[in-house]
């Protein structure tokens, strides 16, 4: 079916055809025709953010909490350049988002026109793919293709740049079923021969570990279900990256906790000592591997990933399986069951004994205080008081982020939104806005540091305008805590520029926006204050004044292997030396 | 607390030393990439190489199928075997890339490059240049009383060798196309 309509109308029509219900955006000259169309309909809700970066993070939050692509709309020039951080964030974390940008009219491109920027040029390295639409006739099929590319294979951000004359002109609308999807069709089924090798390895393994990542979440809830079945049936221990939390429940008995630089002792030592590592949808990031030539030296490694370029990029895979996690796990289970569900029970039991020894170290122990709120304590209380609720957590970037990953438990996928790959301060607040828009009835909490939070604090306006009851739980140490920690460990305690001075009065700030502010500094008041936050029906800024110089442990110093973990301050002074110091 | 202690200065290795277990041998490979002929596609390929720090020894591109909107990019690159594998995988990820072939790894191929060389000299040197051009089967495509422009087709090695010989004989300018290559045989 083809119909004649303007480019601007096509944009809205294509969004409807794609099942989009929400767009996060900010208007400007080059997108006025699209905004005019948005004005004249009621199917798609437009959430007016206060900064384009926030539109992208909100779209990411929407996408990660729903599994559907997030959509953002920005104007040309500064609107598009403001989107760059969010696009890069989504690229590194493989989040499906579709960003539409306005552009100066085609006949003015290249003339340094007002608010002209080479948007496709600037965003080429930070999108999975992008398009500059030069003819209205092609606009709708490009839009459909954009959704296809963003959501298939390894998901990622795409951008469609639409000149203003293309929005005004009339052309032929191509509906979704008629639109050519193009040649982009990533492989989803894994190689059965290698999968069989993996099953044989599972049958024989004496010290196996599942190492899972964001790929499990991206593959959909079915993949998490299959993962849980496989873990329960084999009895193998499982750890996960920051990105993969929730795919396997934190309350599950095989759960070791997160691994990596600030991962749990037992998780990292299991990785170091295992004889079979089954990587499912993770990418051997440097936060995970530490020093490469000492990474899990005695294990055979299987690597399941939908992106062939992830395989052998960093760590050599003995059993490389390119495919979608859900499809591959289905085949693994099928073959393993057909061969009699064998595992080396005796060896596995011994392996668990060893793991139990490691657990006894109780690596998350911290020194409690009667007088100041320890950040870890604040999160323990938050966890206790929100457990069992329909809860979504976002975070900013820093110590608080790592503590949140350590002390909060995630029972389901799509409940934990954090900037992993890019580590973008300013991500959490707008992401929480996006999550709340998608789940109006749910409890959405952004665990924040005071410094990160200030980076996108203008979104208070969005939260108040749209009645989004997001809870901004700020662990306020008046420090760029993670930076300060590195300066302590690495730079002789010279705390260059790593404190937060001239902080706002967060309670007054909340009130200035028409929201609720709560401040808490006494551990004895904490529970009541958290309950007050939870019970308030509306956005809240919670200023939780915490210990200023707390360090985040465990920590694998840069350039060190997993078994060289630091567990507490006693070990930490000047721990990172030599070449480790050049690493981030 | 555990007994694990970090010795001062114990980290000798960089986490970014990404290939400790892989071979360090540098190999030169010719990779042929069929791409959809759309604006920006060359920028995507080149941006991949510059962004990830891969080498480009030579690169050629031209439309090869007008109806099908396809261009062929031929890239000669140098790296460790692991880097070469990464390059191919990364190229394969680009949405407008249709297929990627490593001609060096996939059996025998033909590789040709065209060069134009301007040699300005007189007397014995001029005679010698012409004599060598004959041996290399280079053609004279322009001539003045004091100069020749030679056209030479062949493998990059052959062109290197010819240019080297011309240097003392008055070589003033070289223009090379870069390598075009195809696998031998039916497909
Ligand atoms: C946009 C951006 N700029 C700089 C950094 C570097 N950085 C990482 S953590 C951090 C400090 C964060 O401070 P805060 O938000 O207060 O969190 P804390 O570590 O104190 O919990 C900084 C500056 C970053 N990750 N992102
Ligand atoms: Mg802080």
């Amino acid at each position: 079916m083809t119909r004649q309509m303007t480019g601007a109308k096509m944009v809205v029509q294509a969004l409807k055809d794609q099942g989009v219900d929400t767009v996060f955006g900010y208007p400007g000259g080059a997108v006025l025709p699209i905004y005019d169309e948005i004005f004249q309909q009621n199917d798609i809700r437009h959430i007016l953010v206060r900064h384009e970066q926030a539109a992208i993070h909100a779209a990411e939050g929407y996408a990660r909490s729903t599994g559907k692509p997030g959509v953002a709309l920005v104007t040309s020039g500064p609107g598009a350049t403001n989107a760059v951080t969010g696009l890069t964030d989504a690229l590194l974390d493989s989040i499906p988002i579709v960003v539409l940008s306005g552009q100066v009219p085609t006949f003015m491109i290249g003339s340094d026109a007002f608010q002209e920027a080479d948007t496709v040029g600037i965003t080429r390295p930070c999108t999975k793919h992008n398009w500059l639409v030069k003819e209205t006739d092609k606009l709708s099929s490009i839009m459909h293709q954009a959704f296809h590319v963003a959501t298939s294979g390894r998901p990622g951000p795409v951008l469609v740049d639409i000149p203003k004359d293309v929005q005004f002109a009339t052309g032929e609308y191509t509906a979704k079923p008629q639109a050519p999807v193009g040649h982009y069709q990533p492989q989803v089924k894994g190689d059965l021969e290698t999968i069989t090798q993996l099953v044989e390895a599972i049958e024989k393994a004496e010290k196996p570990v599942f190492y899972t990542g964001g790929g499990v979440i991206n593959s959909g809830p079915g993949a998490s279900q299959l993962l849980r079945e496989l873990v329960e049936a084999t009895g193998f221990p499982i750890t996960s990256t920051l990105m993969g939390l929730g795919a396997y429940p934190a309350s599950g008995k095989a759960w070791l906790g997160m691994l990596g630089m600030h991962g749990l002792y037992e998780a990292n030592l299991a990785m170091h000592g295992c004889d079979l590592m089954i990587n499912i949808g993770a990418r051997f990031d440097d936060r995970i591997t530490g020093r490469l030539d000492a990474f899990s030296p005695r294990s055979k490694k299987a690597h399941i990933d939908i992106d062939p370029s992830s395989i052998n990029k960093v760590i050599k895979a003995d059993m490389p399986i390119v495919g979608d996690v859900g499809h591959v796990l289905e085949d693994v289970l099928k073959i393993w069951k057909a061969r009699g569900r064998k595992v080396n029970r005796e060896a596995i039991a011994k392996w668990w004994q060893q793991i139990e020894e490691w657990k006894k170290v109780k690596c998350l122990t911290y020194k409690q205080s009667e007088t100041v709120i320890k950040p870890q304590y604040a999160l323990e209380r938050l966890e206790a008081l929100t457990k069992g609720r329909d809860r979504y957590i976002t975070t900013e970037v820093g110590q608080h982020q790592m503590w949140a990953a350590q002390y909060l438990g995630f029972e389901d996928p799509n409940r934990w939104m954090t900037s992993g790959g890019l580590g973008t301060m300013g991500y959490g607040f707008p992401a929480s806005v996006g999550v709340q828009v998608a789940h109006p009835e749910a409890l959405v909490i952004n665990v924040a540091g005071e410094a990160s939070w200030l980076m996108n604090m203008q979104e208070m306006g969005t939260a108040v305008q749209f009645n989004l009851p997001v809870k901004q739980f700020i662990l306020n140490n008046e420090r760029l805590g993670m930076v300060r920690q590195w300066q302590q460990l690495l730079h002789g305690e010279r705390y260059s520029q790593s404190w937060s001075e001239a902080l706002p009065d967060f309670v007054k700030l909340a009130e200035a926006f028409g929201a609720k502010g709560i401040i808490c500094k006494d551990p004895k008041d904490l529970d009541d204050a958290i309950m007050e936050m939870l019970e308030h029906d509306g956005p809240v800024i919670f200023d939780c004044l915490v210990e200023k110089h707390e360090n985040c442990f465990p920590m694998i110093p840069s350039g060190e292997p997993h078994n060289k973990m630091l567990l507490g301050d006693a070990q930490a002074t000047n721990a990172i030396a030599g070449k480790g110091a050049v690493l981030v | 607390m555990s007994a694990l202690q970090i010795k001062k200065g114990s980290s000798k290795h960089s986490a970014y030393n990404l290939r400790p277990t892989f071979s360090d041998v540098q190999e030169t490979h010719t990779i042929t990439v069929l791409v959809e002929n759309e604006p920006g596609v060359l920028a995507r390929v080149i941006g991949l190489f510059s962004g990830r720090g891969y080498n480009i020894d030579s690169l050629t591109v031209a439309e090869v199928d007008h109806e099908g909107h396809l261009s062929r990019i031929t890239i000669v690159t140098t790296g460790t075997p692991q880097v070469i594998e990464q390059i191919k995988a990364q190229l394969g990820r680009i949405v407008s890339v249709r297929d990627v072939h490593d001609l060096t790894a996939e059996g025998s191929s033909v590789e040709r490059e065209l060069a134009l060389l301007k040699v300005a000299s007189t007397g014995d040197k001029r005679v010698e240049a012409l004599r060598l051009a004959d041996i290399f089967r280079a053609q004279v495509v322009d001539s003045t009383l004091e100069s020749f422009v030679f056209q030479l087709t062949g493998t990059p090695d052959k062109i290197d060798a010819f240019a080297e010989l011309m240097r003392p004989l008055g070589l003033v300018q070289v223009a090379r196309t870069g390598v075009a290559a195809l696998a031998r045989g039916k497909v």
Side-chain angles (χ1 to χ4, degrees), chain A residues 256-462:
Chain A
L256 300 183
M258 179 177 80
L259 82 162
M261 185 176 265
H262 291 291
L264 271 67
Y265 186 75
E266 48 270 38
N268 283 334
L269 286 199
M271 288 287 280
H272 191 78
C274 67
D275 69 350
L276 173 65
M277 178 185 296
I278 307 168
N279 173 340
I280 309 178
R283 60 183 174 93
F284 294 112
D285 180 80
D286 57 73
R287 301 293 94 162
I288 296 305
T289 58
R291 191 171 119 195
L292 283 168
D293 60 359
F295 175 70
S296 192
R298 288 171 297 276
S299 60
K300 285 258 175 282
K301 298 172 185 78
H303 188 177
I304 303 168
D305 201 302
I306 196 153
D307 180 355
S309 79
S310 289
I311 306 246
N312 291 340
K313 180 170 71 177
V314 181
I315 294 289
K316 188 136 181 49
D318 302 292
M319 290 162 267
I321 302 169
V322 175
D324 175 62
V325 167
H327 285 88
V328 174
L329 286 184
E330 201 177 330
D331 285 338
V332 170
L333 271 164
K334 209 185 296 165
I335 296 173
W336 180 70
K337 284 177 184 167
R339 289 167 54 111
R341 300 165 162 268
K342 289 188 289 257
V343 290
N344 188 339
R345 297 268 166 222
E346 216 168 293
I348 305 297
K350 248 171 81 192
W351 178 226
W352 270 110
Q353 275 170 20
Q354 168 69 74
I355 291 171
E356 293 306 330
E357 286 304 309
W358 290 328
K359 282 189 175 178
K360 284 186 194 149
V361 167
K362 296 208 178 302
C363 67
L364 292 184
T365 313
Y366 59 93
K367 239 188 250 128
Q368 186 54 284
S369 162
E370 301 264 289
T371 49
V372 283
I373 301 174
K374 288 294 184 117
Q376 301 95 324
Y377 178 69
L379 287 165
E380 279 179 345
R381 294 318 302 155
L382 185 72
E383 169 77 356
L385 297 171
T386 58
K387 194 119 213 130
R389 295 205 190 203
D390 181 16
R391 182 189 79 178
Y392 293 82
I393 301 284
T394 68
T395 78
E396 303 287 348
V397 171
Q399 291 180 314
H400 63 276
Q401 175 190 30
M402 293 299 115
W403 282 317
Q406 292 172 341
Y407 290 89
L408 303 180
F410 298 94
E411 296 298 313
D412 293 299
N414 305 101
R415 297 273 170 168
W416 163 248
M417 280 44 65
T418 192
S419 172
L422 195 63
T424 312
M425 290 171 71
Y427 167 87
F429 186 7
S432 73
V433 165
V435 174
Q436 189 80 73
V437 166
H439 308 276
E441 302 304 324
L443 170 63
V444 181
I445 304 173
N446 174 33
V447 176
E450 82 294 340
S452 296
W453 193 82
L454 290 178
M455 284 204 177
N456 270 319
M457 59 169 261
Q458 76 287 343
E459 295 310 310
M460 278 310 289
T462 312

Side-chain angles (χ1 to χ4, degrees), chain A residues 441-568:
Chain A
E441 302 304 324
L443 170 63
V444 181
I445 304 173
N446 174 33
V447 176
E450 82 294 340
S452 296
W453 193 82
L454 290 178
M455 284 204 177
N456 270 319
M457 59 169 261
Q458 76 287 343
E459 295 310 310
M460 278 310 289
T462 312
V464 172
Q465 179 185 344
F466 292 93
N467 227 332
L468 303 167
V470 287
K471 312 301 183 219
Q472 303 303 313
F473 192 69
I474 302 176
L475 296 175
N476 184 354
N477 51 11
E478 298 176 18
R479 298 292 181 279
L480 313 185
M482 190 57 96
V483 172
R484 191 208 54 74
Q485 175 169 349
W486 279 61
Q487 288 171 334
Q488 182 185 349
L489 301 190
L490 207 78
H491 294 279
E493 301 183 57
R494 289 179 295 282
Y495 297 131
S496 179
Q497 308 299 319
S498 59
W499 66 94
S500 300
E501 223 166 272
L503 281 171
D505 177 330
F506 284 104
V507 174
K508 280 193 189 149
L509 182 70
E511 286 163 7
F513 274 104
K516 183 180 176 67
I518 300 174
I519 185 165
C520 184
K521 52 177 180 257
D522 189 331
K524 287 187 278 302
D525 301 335
L526 185 59
D527 275 23
D528 286 347
I530 291 176
M531 286 315 294
E532 190 186 346
M533 169 181 89
L534 297 177
E535 275 156 21
H536 180 71
D537 184 20
V540 177
I541 303 179
F542 190 111
D543 184 10
C544 189
L545 297 176
V546 296
E547 168 70 51
K548 298 186 202 312
H549 278 208
E550 191 72 13
N551 281 330
C552 182
F553 291 112
M555 175 176 186
I556 303 175
S558 294
E560 293 291 355
H562 280 173
N563 58 349
K564 293 281 173 71
M565 224 172 312
L566 304 174
L567 289 171

Side-chain angles (χ1 to χ4, degrees), chain A residues 124 129-130 183 265 292-293 307 309 312-314 316 559-560 563-564 566-567 571 575 577 579-580 583-584, chain B residues 1-2 4 6 9-11 13-18 22 38 43-44 82 86 89-90 93 95-96 98:
Chain A
R124 201 173 283 127
H129 198 69
N130 61 13
H183 292 264
Y265 186 75
L292 283 168
D293 60 359
D307 180 355
S309 79
N312 291 340
K313 180 170 71 177
V314 181
K316 188 136 181 49
E560 293 291 355
N563 58 349
K564 293 281 173 71
L566 304 174
L567 289 171
Q571 299 171 317
K579 287 209 182 117
L583 307 175
V584 288
Chain B
M1 292 291 150
S2 93
L4 294 173
I6 303 286
S10 63
S11 52
H13 296 262
S14 157
Y16 295 119
N17 179 10
L18 290 178
F22 298 85
E38 58 186 25
R44 287 181 207 285
Q82 190 248 349
Q86 259 300 296
Q90 292 290 350
R93 284 175 88 191
V95 171
S96 22
R98 284 287 185 87

